[in-house]
């Protein structure tokens, strides 16, 4: 099916599409935007129909209007003016609002179809890759057949459809006998099979165990949500692995190149085999523009850019590639120029007659004489847009360019230092992957240690470093997995037909419509065009946050009466827990002779209490409060009213908590104290709050039985209460505030617009750092009174009552 190379006689390549009607798919993508810009700016007589799907409530036409405001169209907009832009929107541009999978009837008067739509990911789940790349192509070509026209189709593929191979890959149809329709069906079935496997009891138990380990203290709904999140992630990972493995077993680098290859075969069988004209353009790695619309234009990170920026950030200490393998890069404007030159020069058309006809789109339509119209359609033609054959750029040379540029222009680490760039020794993929696995194990071990240590500013800083290191290592592993075949590639893309097409351009043709890759000075391109372009995109977020990662909202509180400030008691307002509170009660009026037995009993039960605390906060509270069994209610109230107990509470009340409570009350906010313990114990500080919400204990004949009257208000139970209470009281939770110290507080803290983690345990600290919540370190000033803080009210011994509300 290899077509002969076209004549290289100067002037034989047509450069105009005349008044052709062009259908463009993928017009919102990187290459598609550049093609659309060229059609608008350099082919003013064309009509362009774009296939655009509505997105997030935005219509296809609205998306087009937004698209034309992007930088790629800036020169065209400035040159033609606002009126001409609006005329183009109403007269030259047409929109078909649909996705490729469900096309409506297409126009029957199309002259050229440029199919550039595809997935932008190398490693998507196998069913998604097939549905987008293969299903999209099938849908398009079946719709074109149904429309009854005979446009020249330019199918934009990738040079890497050549797969995993060594040596020269010709500009010709792929040679394989894989049943792409059967593979498409199997890919769709894979989703159902993996989803079913993820719901097997033995698999679900693993997800539940994982959920309990990480979220058991937050509550059963949090556990269930985490388990389902793990299941969904497991399904996605399995489907990605399905795609990668199936591609490699068939001889392709990944599911992206596999499905692009099958899309070519669909175009050949559905369109070309029915007598229609087909040209396939296969670009290599497409990067920023060399000349048009302006040097360095790019829309987001492309294939090579994650590797480049990972090197610049010091995240790529070694490279898994082969130093003498070729990094086959082409500027995006070269790709566009080839696509449009191919579109204007279909196989079998008479160039002379096309030039003579000038404007009527004869080249695009392929119409010549009556006799020619009845001739059989020519074989599909294939064009490689690549540099590796004519102007090779090896990996080692890329490293030299990287080191030169980022040594002279290092990315900032912080306000005062820059990131040093690594030196690559190219030890090979196996050693690089082994080093990554070793680093991941060490980082996991460090995290396990840190979450068991007391949460301090120092441990939180270290924990943030662990999280950052994990993200870096995962990124490095992902890059290695994705690019291993590309950076070790020994394939060379033959480009003789593309070079001949360029050689046929008229001598008077503008330089910026050419595509001779031998004209590219790689050092100049990377040092003055591409590297500056992609680093400019990253400057806004290239400086990482401080290691601690914590933020503190220090803004003045707004004056509002429709918000609430919810304070947890233990560890947040008091630097104590329910064990210490029990001891405070027992120490008031308790006979000294009974202390040894009490302490021994407490120590004996401590392991069981710790296990309960690790599993569920409510379980721990229930277990520990059993120690109050047999205590007269009158005695407990008397102890709480005593000066000794009140003084103890006063000493353990945190001054910063008192100050913050006072600030909220001064701003008109409702203040609520919530505790899973007995409300009676909070009596000395109850007057500081508008409401105290706590547990009550069951009593019989004036004696505590050791059982709670209702379940303790902790984790998700507290969240449910807060939602209902806010609804009844007309409280705006999105503007409200919350202060908690435990991972068990996560469920209700995340309901509030302004959450703060106060002296957080390791797990809450990790979540607060990840979510960028305020982290507050409140401590008791040794040897000073809490009431000594100017903004904090004194802690008195008089309360509004027990304040219990459940």
């Amino acid at each position: 099916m290899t077509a002969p190379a076209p004549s290289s006689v100067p002037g034989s390549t047509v450069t105009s599409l005349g008044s052709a009607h062009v259908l463009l798919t993928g017009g919102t993508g990187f290459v598609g935007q550049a093609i659309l810009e060229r059609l608008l700016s350099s082919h003013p007589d064309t009509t362009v129909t774009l296939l655009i799907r509505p997105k997030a409530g935005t219509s296809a036409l609205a998306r087009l209007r937004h698209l034309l405001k992007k930088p790629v169209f800036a020169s065209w907009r400035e040159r033609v003016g606002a009126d001409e832009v609006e005329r183009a929107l109403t007269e030259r541009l047409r929109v078909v609002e649909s996705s490729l999978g469900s096309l409506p009837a297409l126009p029957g008067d199309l002259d050229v179809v440029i199919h550039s739509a595809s997935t932008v990911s190398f490693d998507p789940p196998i069913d998604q890759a097939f549905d987008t790349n293969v299903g999209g192509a099938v849908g398009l070509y079946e719709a074109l057949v149904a429309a009854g026209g005979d446009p020249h189709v330019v199918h934009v593929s990738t040079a890497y459809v050549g797969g995993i191979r060594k040596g020269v890959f010709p500009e010709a149809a792929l040679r394989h006998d894989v049943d792409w329709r059967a593979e498409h069906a199997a890919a769709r079935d894979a989703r159902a099979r993996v989803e079913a496997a993820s719901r097997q009891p033995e698999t679900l138990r693993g997800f539940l165990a994982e959920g309990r380990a990480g979220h058991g203290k937050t509550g059963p709904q949090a556990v269930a949500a985490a388990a389902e999140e793990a299941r969904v992630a497991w399904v996605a990972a399995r489907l990605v692995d399905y795609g990668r493995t199936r591609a490699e077993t068939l001889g392709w680098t990944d599911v992206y190149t596999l499905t692009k290859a099958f899309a070519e075969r669909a175009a050949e069988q559905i369109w070309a085999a029915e007598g229609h004209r087909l040209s396939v353009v296969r670009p290599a790695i497409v990067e920023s523009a060399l000349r048009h619309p302006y040097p360095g234009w790019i829309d987001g990170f492309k294939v090579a850019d994650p590797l480049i920026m990972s090197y610049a950030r010091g995240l790529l200490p070694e490279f898994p590639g082969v130093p003498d393998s070729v990094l086959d890069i082409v500027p995006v404007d070269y790709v566009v120029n080839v696509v449009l030159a191919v579109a204007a020069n279909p196989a079998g058309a008479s160039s002379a007659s096309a030039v003579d006809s000038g404007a009527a789109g004869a080249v695009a339509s392929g119409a010549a004489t009556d006799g020619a119209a009845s001739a059989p359609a020519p074989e599909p033609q294939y064009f490689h847009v690549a540099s590796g054959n004519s102007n090779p750029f090896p990996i080692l040379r890329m490293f030299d360019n990287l080191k030169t540029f980022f040594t002279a222009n290092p990315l900032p680490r912080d306000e005062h230092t820059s990131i040093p760039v690594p030196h690559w020794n190219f030890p090979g993929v196996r050693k690089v992957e082994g080093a990554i696995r070793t680093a991941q194990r060490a980082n996991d071990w460090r995290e396990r240690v840190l979450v068991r240590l007391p949460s301090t500013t120092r441990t939180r800083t270290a924990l943030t470093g662990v999280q950052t290191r994990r993200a870096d290592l995962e990124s490095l592993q992902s890059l290695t997995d994705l690019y291993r075949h590309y950076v070790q590639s020994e394939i060379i893309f033959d480009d003789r037909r593309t070079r001949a097409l360029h050689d046929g351009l008229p001598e008077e043709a503008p330089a910026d419509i050419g595509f001779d890759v031998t004209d590219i000075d790689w050092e100049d391109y990377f040092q003055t065009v591409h590297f500056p372009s992609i680093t400019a995109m990253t400057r806004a977020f290239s400086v990482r946050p401080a290691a601690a990662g914590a933020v503190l909202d220090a803004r003045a509180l707004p004056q509002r009466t429709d918000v609430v400030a919810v304070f947890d008691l233990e560890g947040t307002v008091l630097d104590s827990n329910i064990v210490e509170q029990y001891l405070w009660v027992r120490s008031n009026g308790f006979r000294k002779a009974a202390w040894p037995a009490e302490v021994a009993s407490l120590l004996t039960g401590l392991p069981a209490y710790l296990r309960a605390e690790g599993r569920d906060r409510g379980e721990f509270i229930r277990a520990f409060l059993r120690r109050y069994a047999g205590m007269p209610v009158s005695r407990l109230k008397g102890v709480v009213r005593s000066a000794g107990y009140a003084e103890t509470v006063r000493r353990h009340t945190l001054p910063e908590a008192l100050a913050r409570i006072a600030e909220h009350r001064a701003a008109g906010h409702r203040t609520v104290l919530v505790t899973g313990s007995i409300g009676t114990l909070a009596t000395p500080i109850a007057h500081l709050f508008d409401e105290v919400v706590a547990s009550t204990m069951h009593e019989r004949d004036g004696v505590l039985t050791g059982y709670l009257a209702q379940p303790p208000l902790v984790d998700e139970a507290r969240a449910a209460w807060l939602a209902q209470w806010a609804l009844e009281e007309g409280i705006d939770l999105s503007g409200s505030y919350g202060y908690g110290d435990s991972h068990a507080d996560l469920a209700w803290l995340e309901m509030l617009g302004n959450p703060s983690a106060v002296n957080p345990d390791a797990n809450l600290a990790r979540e607060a750092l990840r979510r960028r919540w305020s982290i507050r370190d409140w401590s008791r000033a040794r040897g000073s009174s809490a009431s000594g803080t100017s903004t904090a009210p004194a802690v008195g011994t008089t309360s509004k009552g027990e304040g219990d509300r459940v």
Side-chain angles (χ1 to χ4, degrees):
M1 295 179 66
T2 304
S7 169
S8 60
V9 177
S12 65
T13 298
V14 176
T15 60
S16 173
L17 287 171
S19 58
H21 183 184
V22 181
L23 172 67
L24 174 63
T25 72
T28 59
F30 175 45
V31 174
Q33 289 180 49
I35 292 173
L36 178 60
E37 190 280 335
R38 266 298 194 186
L39 289 171
L40 290 171
S41 64
S42 301
H43 300 269
D45 296 321
T46 56
T47 299
V48 184
T49 294
L50 294 113
L51 191 65
I52 302 177
R53 61 184 175 87
K55 187 177 183 180
T58 304
S59 70
L61 181 59
R63 289 190 67 194
L64 176 59
R65 285 186 173 276
H66 176 74
L67 181 69
L68 294 182
K69 296 177 182 179
K70 298 187 74 170
V72 64
F73 299 99
S75 296
W76 171 71
R77 291 195 309 266
E78 293 172 5
R79 178 166 58 84
V80 303
D83 290 343
E84 178 60 23
V85 172
E86 192 60 33
R87 188 190 74 81
L89 277 164
T90 56
E91 298 180 16
R92 287 189 63 193
L93 299 176
R94 304 171 185 175
V95 175
V96 174
E97 189 169 272
S98 175
S99 62
L100 283 170
S102 55
L103 282 170
L106 295 177
D109 64 341
L110 296 172
D111 300 303
V112 175
V113 173
I114 301 175
H115 176 44
S116 70
S118 72
T119 181
V120 296
S121 172
F122 279 176
D123 228 11
I126 188 171
D127 60 318
Q128 293 180 15
F130 269 85
D131 284 347
T132 302
N133 289 343
V134 182
V138 170
L140 173 64
Y141 296 130
E142 288 180 345
L144 288 174
V145 170
D150 184 30
H152 172 209
V153 168
V154 182
H155 180 103
V156 182
S157 184
T158 173
Y160 290 96
V161 292
I164 305 171
R165 68 174 72 206
K166 297 181 180 181
V168 176
F169 173 44
E171 291 173 298
L174 291 169
R175 292 187 177 183
H176 69 81
D177 56 3
V178 181
D179 185 342
W180 63 270
R181 295 182 188 274
E183 293 295 329
H184 190 185
R188 287 180 168 175
D189 289 344
R191 168 71 65 172
R193 295 196 304 271
V194 174
E195 287 281 359
S198 75
R199 290 174 168 84
Q200 295 300 309
E202 58 273 16
T203 312
L204 292 173
R205 289 188 192 101
F207 300 145
L208 275 173
E210 184 180 336
R212 289 192 186 102
H215 302 275
K217 291 183 66 174
T218 310
Q221 288 301 307
V223 170
E228 177 61 10
E229 183 179 338
R231 188 197 67 81
V232 170
W234 184 86
V235 168
R238 287 293 296 271
L239 289 172
V240 167
D241 188 50
Y242 265 49
R244 182 186 300 141
T245 305
R246 186 55 182 150
E248 291 187 10
T249 60
L250 291 173
W252 276 272
T253 55
D254 48 46
V255 74
Y256 170 76
T257 58
L258 174 72
T259 53
K260 293 292 279 186
F262 290 168
E264 284 191 17
R265 187 52 45 89
E268 293 160 357
Q269 293 182 355
I270 299 174
W271 185 249
E274 295 299 316
H276 302 290
R277 288 156 300 144
L278 172 68
S279 297
V280 178
V281 176
R282 296 171 175 157
I285 299 173
V286 186
E287 292 292 350
S288 62
L290 179 64
R291 298 188 183 96
H292 189 89
Y294 55 83
W297 173 75
I298 195 169
D299 187 61
F301 276 173
K302 301 304 143 193
V303 175
D305 302 334
L307 290 172
I308 293 169
M309 297 313 301
S310 293
Y311 174 83
R313 290 192 172 111
L315 305 181
L316 206 59
E318 265 303 346
F319 193 66
V322 177
D324 58 4
S325 64
V326 171
L327 190 64
D328 207 312
I329 286 178
V330 286
V332 64
D333 46 339
Y334 275 45
V335 178
V336 172
N337 292 346
V338 172
V339 167
L340 295 182
V342 168
N345 294 271
S350 168
S351 296
S353 65
V355 172
D356 290 341
S357 65
V363 171
S365 68
T369 64
D370 292 339
S374 61
E379 291 288 313
Q381 52 183 359
Y382 301 83
F383 298 87
H384 287 159
V385 193
S387 60
N389 185 44
S390 301
N391 189 4
F393 186 67
I395 294 290
L396 182 60
R397 192 169 162 195
M398 178 62 148
F399 165 68
D400 290 337
N401 273 270
L402 283 169
K403 188 171 185 180
T404 297
F405 182 84
F406 288 107
T407 298
N409 305 278
L411 294 183
R413 185 190 301 279
D414 51 41
E415 294 180 358
H416 307 291
T417 62
S418 299
I419 300 173
V421 293
H423 179 81
W424 288 344
N425 293 308
F426 301 97
V429 172
R430 291 182 181 178
K431 288 188 176 180
V432 171
E433 290 182 337
I436 293 172
R437 287 193 297 269
T438 299
Q440 287 174 330
R441 287 194 294 269
N443 198 62
D444 290 344
W445 177 86
R446 181 174 171 82
E447 182 181 43
R448 287 194 296 271
V449 171
L450 287 170
V451 296
R452 286 167 172 77
L453 294 175
S455 177
T456 64
T457 301
R458 187 171 181 177
T459 58
R460 287 199 297 273
T461 299
L463 192 59
T464 302
V466 165
Q467 293 174 322
T468 301
R469 179 65 170 160
R470 171 178 289 106
D472 292 345
L473 289 170
E474 288 175 352
S475 176
L476 184 55
Q477 182 66 64
S478 177
L479 290 173
T480 302
D481 291 341
L482 285 175
Y483 295 107
R484 66 168 71 232
H485 295 298
Y486 296 91
V487 297
Q488 298 180 92
S489 175
E490 296 184 42
I491 189 172
I492 301 297
F493 305 113
D494 181 25
D495 61 347
R496 283 176 292 179
R497 178 176 281 110
T498 304
R499 284 188 282 115
L501 189 65
H502 175 274
D503 291 342
L505 289 172
E507 292 182 0
E508 67 275 12
D512 70 352
I513 72 166
F515 40 90
D516 183 359
V517 294
T518 63
D519 287 344
I520 302 174
D521 180 332
W522 288 120
E523 275 64 33
D524 181 68
Y525 173 73
F526 282 109
Q527 298 296 321
T528 67
V529 177
H530 188 62
F531 291 163
S533 175
I534 61 172
T535 53
M537 288 194 301
T538 62
R539 289 294 177 184
F541 53 86
S542 60
V543 178
R544 292 187 173 186
V551 295
L552 182 62
D553 187 354
R555 294 173 298 179
L557 296 175
Q559 292 286 328
R560 295 183 64 173
T561 59
D562 63 338
V563 299
V564 67
V566 182
F567 289 82
D568 183 42
L569 178 61
E570 294 84 8
T572 304
V573 175
L574 300 181
D575 69 339
S576 69
N577 52 51
I578 65 173
V579 176
E580 290 182 279
Q581 292 168 20
Y582 171 76
L583 293 175
W584 297 345
V585 171
R586 285 297 195 185
S587 64
N588 277 269
F590 206 85
R591 293 181 296 107
K592 290 185 178 180
W595 264 110
E598 184 66 25
V599 171
S601 172
L602 188 60
L603 292 175
T604 300
L606 189 59
Y609 295 144
L610 292 175
R611 288 193 297 271
E613 170 71 7
R615 289 189 299 267
D616 183 284
R617 177 72 176 171
E619 180 183 346
F620 164 69
I621 290 174
R622 288 185 178 94
F624 191 82
L625 293 184
R626 291 294 302 277
R627 303 188 72 89
Y628 285 91
M631 179 179 291
V633 175
S634 59
R635 180 180 175 185
L636 176 61
K637 291 183 177 180
V639 168
V640 168
R641 286 194 297 267
S642 69
Y645 181 85
E647 173 61 19
T648 302
V649 172
R650 183 186 64 79
R651 289 198 313 270
H652 287 270
T653 303
L654 300 175
E656 292 96 332
L658 294 173
R660 193 63 174 170
I661 296 164
E663 289 173 17
H664 280 292
R665 301 192 80 168
H669 304 173
R670 297 275 292 275
T671 55
V672 176
L673 178 69
V674 187
T675 176
S677 185
I678 311 171
T680 304
L681 302 178
T683 298
I685 57 173
H687 68 286
L688 300 175
F689 300 92
D690 295 303
E691 191 157 357
V692 175
V693 182
S695 297
T696 56
M697 293 198 72
H698 179 261
E699 58 185 78
R700 184 181 293 115
D701 299 329
V703 177
L704 298 177
T705 64
Y707 296 101
L708 291 173
Q710 293 179 352
L713 208 61
V714 294
D715 50 66
E716 290 175 353
R718 188 176 297 184
W721 167 81
L722 181 58
Q724 183 63 30
W725 180 82
L727 183 65
E728 294 172 354
E729 300 292 327
I731 296 295
D732 175 16
L733 292 182
S734 66
S736 293
Y737 302 77
Y739 303 86
D741 70 303
S742 168
H743 192 244
D745 296 323
L746 184 64
W748 63 272
L749 283 174
E750 64 185 3
M751 297 172 58
L752 302 167
N754 302 283
S756 291
V758 178
N759 306 327
D761 61 26
N763 287 319
L764 180 61
R766 180 165 50 189
E767 282 297 313
L769 290 166
R770 184 177 68 83
R771 302 177 189 224
R772 304 291 292 162
W773 288 354
S774 289
I775 295 181
R776 301 173 185 270
D777 289 300
W778 291 350
S779 60
R780 177 158 47 109
R782 298 296 178 186
S784 64
S785 168
S787 60
T789 303
S790 60
T791 56
V795 178
T797 57
T798 304
S799 73
K800 298 188 295 182
E802 292 183 13
D804 295 356
R805 169 178 169 160
V806 182

